[in-house]
Amino acid sequence: MTATNTETPQVLSAARRITGVALASVSGVAVAVQSRINGELGVRLADGFAAAVVSFGIGLVVLLVLVPATAAGRRGLVGVRRALATGTLRPWQCLGGMCGAFLVASQGLTIGTLGVAVFTVAVVAGQSGSSLAVDRAGIGPTGRQPVTRQRLAGAVLTVLAVGLAVGDRLGAPGTLALALLPLVAGVGTAWQQAVNGRVRAAADSALTATLVNFAVGTATLLVAFAIDIAVRGWPTGHLPSEPWLYLGGPIGIVFIAIAAAIVRFTGVLLLGLATIAGQIVGAVLLDLVLPTAASHPGPNTLLGAALTMVAVLIAALAPPARPLTGPAADRPAR
């Protein structure tokens, strides 16, 4: 379904919103674990793009086995093909995997230097502001959702949080500049969640939507990796022997499938902020319990994480957003 003037925006059910928030929070913890895995894989391979290709590639192989093996998956593939043929699903709405590819690549490129906590809070800042815009434009399957005071306050607080989190790194401009990569990745994540929700609606299968996401993401990463090899040469690292370093892709399957399934109940902003809550908790715990050379979070990082949690609560406790009416609601999303 495309966002047109015939689409009826939804008032989100409170019970479904709560369930969606809980599921998104759990998946957020998994994303923090995935970030640590892909960051370490990038260090071992000495190439963030190579780590991203391995992560996405493994996920794609798993999905290429799972989706055709299930009746729902096969029906979903037919549904996507039919929706593309009839125009109810636009080709650009199938490109969410490109944003996922950029996020995974940024994990491998920056976490070894930034640490998981700073990386996560940078993603949060980009994702929260972008989620407001995506909901307002009606790109996701819930239709247009207005920018309320509480939703805006939650997004603004997350931007302040990233300033606190990286404040102790202002003396290292090169390191601080690295935070721009996850910041931009966060902006793309909101759009990815919205369009993946559209694909899920067309397929009536979260697993099929996840396969589309991984196929597009893997293709994008292979192109980027080829360019990386042409510019810098073959990676100097080696494939590690520890099995846990290859779990990033399967973890990504869980996260993408959950997001595609529940975004129609939560909207993009609430989905993003609930995921953020889990990411923040998981990221800080990982940096405290299993620190790397770059991931000893200081007071500013912990304060930034705490402020982000407050922002999530403010947005999550807001009353359900009412659909837009009037001229603004009649304009088609582009």
Side-chain angles (χ1 to χ4, degrees):
M1 173 189 311
T2 57
T4 68
N5 57 356
T6 61
E7 179 179 300
T8 303
Q10 301 174 20
V11 176
L12 306 175
S13 161
R16 288 179 173 178
R17 287 170 74 235
I18 292 170
T19 302
V21 165
L23 288 172
S25 298
V26 172
S27 71
V29 175
V31 172
V33 175
Q34 182 199 44
S35 296
R36 169 61 66 86
I37 290 171
N38 287 341
E40 179 63 21
L41 185 59
V43 171
R44 300 286 191 93
L45 295 176
D47 191 305
F49 288 111
V53 168
V54 170
S55 178
F56 251 79
I58 291 174
L60 178 61
V61 170
V62 172
L63 287 165
L64 286 173
V65 173
L66 284 180
V67 173
T70 64
R74 292 192 296 272
R75 286 195 301 269
L77 292 173
V78 173
V80 170
R81 185 168 61 249
R82 183 185 303 117
L84 287 170
T86 60
T88 54
L89 183 69
R90 305 292 178 84
W92 62 266
Q93 292 173 321
C94 296
L95 299 180
M98 296 178 68
C99 296
F102 184 77
L103 175 65
V104 173
S106 68
Q107 290 171 344
L109 290 167
T110 67
I111 284 180
T113 301
L114 294 177
V116 176
V118 173
F119 173 90
T120 301
V121 179
V123 171
V124 164
Q127 184 176 351
S128 58
S130 179
S131 295
L132 281 172
V134 167
D135 268 348
R136 178 65 176 79
I139 296 173
T142 58
R144 293 181 177 86
Q145 301 295 323
V147 179
T148 65
R149 291 179 180 177
Q150 281 181 266
R151 287 156 64 86
L152 181 60
V156 170
L157 279 177
T158 53
V159 175
L160 295 176
V162 75
L164 275 176
V166 301
D168 58 350
R169 297 171 181 258
L170 290 176
T175 300
L176 182 62
L178 276 181
L180 293 176
L181 283 177
L183 185 73
V184 174
V187 172
T189 295
W191 184 82
Q192 176 192 18
Q193 291 171 340
V195 296
N196 281 352
R198 295 279 183 179
V199 178
R200 191 226 63 85
D204 196 24
S205 166
L207 203 59
T208 300
T210 306
L211 173 58
V212 172
N213 180 91
F214 269 77
V216 171
T218 302
T220 302
L221 286 168
L222 285 172
V223 172
F225 187 41
I227 295 173
D228 182 49
I229 292 174
V231 173
R232 299 196 306 163
W234 194 259
T236 57
H238 302 282
L239 288 172
S241 59
E242 297 91 333
W244 65 271
L245 287 172
Y246 300 98
L247 295 178
I251 290 174
I253 291 174
V254 174
F255 166 65
I256 296 298
I258 289 177
I262 66 177
V263 66
R264 67 192 191 278
F265 301 137
T266 62
V268 177
L269 178 67
L270 188 54
L271 169 64
L273 293 183
T275 304
I276 285 162
Q279 285 179 265
I280 290 294
V281 171
V284 172
L285 286 177
L286 280 171
D287 278 354
L288 288 173
V289 177
L290 297 171
T292 65
S295 62
H296 298 279
N300 285 352
T301 300
L302 296 176
L303 283 173
L307 183 58
T308 306
M309 295 293 294
V310 172
V312 172
L313 288 174
I314 289 174
L317 293 176
R322 295 183 178 278
L324 293 174
T325 58
D330 294 331
R331 288 195 298 268
R334 300 189 185 278

